[in-house]
Amino acid sequence: MERLDDLEAFVAVIEKGSQAAASRHLRRPLQSLNRSLIALERSVGVELVKRTTRRSEPTEAGKLFYERIKPAVAEIIEARNEAASLRGEVSGPLKVGAPVLFASSYVAPIIGRFLKLYPKVEIELKASDDQADLVAEGLDMAVRIGVSADEQLTARRLQALRVVTCAAPSYLAQHGVPKHPDELGNHHCVLRSGTGPTHKWPFRIGGKLQRISVSGRFHSNSAAAIRAAAGEGVGFAQLPLWQIRELVEQGALTIVLPEFETEGMPIQLVWPPTKAPLERMRRFTDFLASALKAELL
């Protein structure tokens, strides 16, 4: 009789397109996964996967076999996870991604509290401002601020972050305080470099979302650098409030045009689509969502 591990390995290889990707997804050594494929093919009595150095593709028999067993394997894994949940067993590794500044300010402290509650869970936090390929990076889930570039990912909205327009008091004293977003066109602004329309800032004017063109001599892909430049009086910046709250409280930055702010920037937890998420993923998702709701209000 085929082992569940062998069937699970076969399904992962077909869905991920290679043994290497399946190995990362299942967190199993490549040799172990290959042995599972060999054992399954011996048990079934037919070749299921054509293997090359870079790709693994199903044979005709493999395609038919995959379509028949996929629902059953998913149901078995789901039942196993539910049983583990009823026993209160939460253990194993998690690999989580998050933006650099947000990781150190919020995610890492929350992980610390989560690990105290679940001593059998291990978490690796990868901090990066790039929206990494979760499967390629071997991530179980990632925190995304703003719109996720991969629409295929399963997403849970955690919070909406207040985004503010701000400048140093020294800049405002020299150049004046704008009364309307349209006036920003006459000011220096600190811009985020990237692929999107970073020179157009969103505002809610007359109840409608509008994007105002801005310009400036300093551009950066680093939120920390933008915050520092704004604090030095280079110009206006538009940033999530949590990134500059301390500077605002210290008087180093002043918020302007609050009556024109948008509904905020979405923050989501995303993970590869799966019918049977691990129980530790569910627990951590709920814990993170609850903690961020309390801390970001």
Side-chain angles (χ1 to χ4, degrees):
M1 181 177 179
E2 297 79 14
R3 298 186 312 155
L4 178 59
D5 285 351
D6 299 341
L7 295 171
E8 193 174 13
F10 168 71
V11 170
V13 168
I14 300 305
E15 294 182 346
K16 302 305 176 184
S18 72
Q19 292 185 64
S23 174
R24 291 191 296 268
H25 174 70
L26 296 176
R27 297 183 180 276
R28 286 180 57 182
L30 188 58
Q31 291 181 341
S32 172
L33 186 136
N34 188 52
R35 286 196 296 269
S36 281
L37 284 181
I38 293 173
L40 181 61
E41 288 177 331
R42 286 176 178 172
S43 176
V44 176
V46 65
E47 183 185 31
L48 299 173
V49 179
K50 290 186 178 296
R51 305 165 180 80
T52 66
T53 55
R54 293 186 178 181
R55 296 284 301 171
S56 297
E57 298 181 351
T59 62
E60 287 301 317
K63 292 178 182 178
L64 294 174
F65 190 69
Y66 168 77
E67 293 297 331
R68 292 296 297 271
I69 71 165
K70 180 184 176 182
V73 171
E75 288 297 328
I76 293 172
I77 294 173
E78 179 72 17
R80 182 178 62 186
N81 290 337
E82 288 180 356
S85 176
L86 292 174
R87 292 197 304 269
E89 295 179 1
V90 181
S91 61
L94 277 179
K95 192 171 182 181
V96 182
V100 175
L101 192 56
F102 198 78
S104 59
S105 300
Y106 290 94
V107 181
I110 292 171
I111 286 176
R113 300 199 295 272
F114 182 81
L115 293 177
K116 290 179 182 178
L117 289 176
Y118 301 99
K120 293 185 178 181
V121 174
E122 301 175 9
I123 296 182
E124 177 183 348
L125 176 60
K126 180 175 181 180
S128 173
D129 287 333
D130 295 327
Q131 291 198 7
D133 184 321
L134 270 63
V135 175
E137 297 288 341
L139 295 174
D140 294 300
M141 60 181 68
V143 176
R144 293 276 167 85
I145 297 177
V147 179
S148 177
D150 188 348
E151 297 181 353
Q152 301 301 315
L153 297 174
T154 302
R156 174 175 174 177
R157 185 183 176 94
L158 301 179
Q159 191 75 2
L161 302 175
R162 181 184 173 189
V163 177
V164 301
T165 305
C166 60
S170 60
Y171 180 90
L172 296 175
Q174 182 177 358
H175 300 281
V177 180
K179 303 298 183 183
H180 192 278
D182 287 339
E183 298 176 29
L184 290 175
N186 300 320
H187 286 273
H188 296 295
C189 295
V190 184
L191 305 180
R192 180 182 294 275
S193 55
T195 58
T198 57
H199 64 288
K200 290 183 177 291
W201 287 358
F203 292 94
R204 188 162 293 278
I205 303 173
K208 296 181 179 180
L209 181 65
Q210 297 185 34
R211 296 188 177 275
I212 302 299
S213 294
V214 296
S215 61
R217 295 181 297 144
F218 185 85
H219 304 245
S220 177
N221 66 342
S222 166
I226 293 173
R227 181 181 63 176
E232 288 295 323
V234 174
F236 288 97
Q238 196 170 79
L239 292 164
L241 177 60
W242 69 267
Q243 293 182 355
I244 61 167
R245 190 187 304 275
E246 184 177 352
L247 295 178
V248 172
E249 293 173 351
Q250 294 171 353
L253 284 173
T254 300
I255 295 174
V256 300
L257 305 171
E259 65 272 29
F260 296 100
E261 291 175 12
T262 64
E263 295 178 353
M265 181 182 296
I267 176 172
Q268 299 176 317
L269 193 62
V270 299
W271 59 91
T274 174
K275 190 176 181 180
L278 299 171
E279 180 61 21
R280 57 185 177 271
M281 288 176 60
R282 291 176 176 148
R283 296 287 180 94
F284 180 70
T285 299
D286 291 341
F287 190 86
L288 183 66
S290 177
L292 289 179
K293 183 177 182 180
E295 296 182 20
L296 291 174
L297 286 177

